[in-house]
Amino acid sequence: MPRRLIAVAILLVALPSELSAQAKGKGIRLWNLTSSTISGFQLSPAGKNDWGPNQTLNDKDKEVDHDERLRIVGVEPGRYDAKVSYAGARQCFVRDIEIKADAVFSISDKDLKDCNK
């Protein structure tokens, strides 16, 4: 019985620090190192063309400026393709991005492929 109490006590001590870490911006984040403001960012499991929601809607101004970071929600760690949209209907793809838990991943102009005009 004392072991259970110790385990419960550890959980009660650890839980507030975990919640505090999440509140301080931990989690998966995109770092926009492209030269332009991103107006749309969708992820799909690599090679699947099964696009998720527009992640830029998670940002207060609904865009991700150059050198800005965007919190990514509802995505598990793994390998993904990204559909990146810009003003003027320009759209590009970034293939096979590795996304890790509680980490920042970046995209830059050299990563953009198959862009339309």
Side-chain angles (χ1 to χ4, degrees), residues 32-81:
N32 178 14
L33 295 178
T34 69
S35 57
S36 300
T37 298
I38 294 173
S39 58
F41 188 82
Q42 295 173 269
L43 291 167
S44 168
K48 299 284 185 186
N49 286 329
D50 184 17
W51 303 105
N54 181 359
Q55 295 284 335
T56 63
L57 299 178
N58 303 330
D59 189 71
K60 62 184 171 192
D61 68 358
K62 312 299 185 222
E63 295 182 322
V64 187
D65 297 323
H66 166 76
D67 201 29
E68 183 180 359
R69 294 180 186 188
L70 171 70
R71 186 178 182 112
I72 302 297
V73 298
V75 173
E76 295 295 321
R79 291 208 162 293
Y80 292 86
D81 294 334

Side-chain angles (χ1 to χ4, degrees), residues 18 23 27 55 58 78 93 98 100 106:
E18 176 64 25
Q55 295 284 335
N58 303 330
F93 294 90
E98 182 178 7
K100 297 179 181 178
S106 65

Side-chain angles (χ1 to χ4, degrees), residues 9-22:
I10 290 171
L11 284 174
L12 290 175
V13 170
L15 186 59
S17 64
E18 176 64 25
L19 292 174
S20 175
Q22 289 176 1

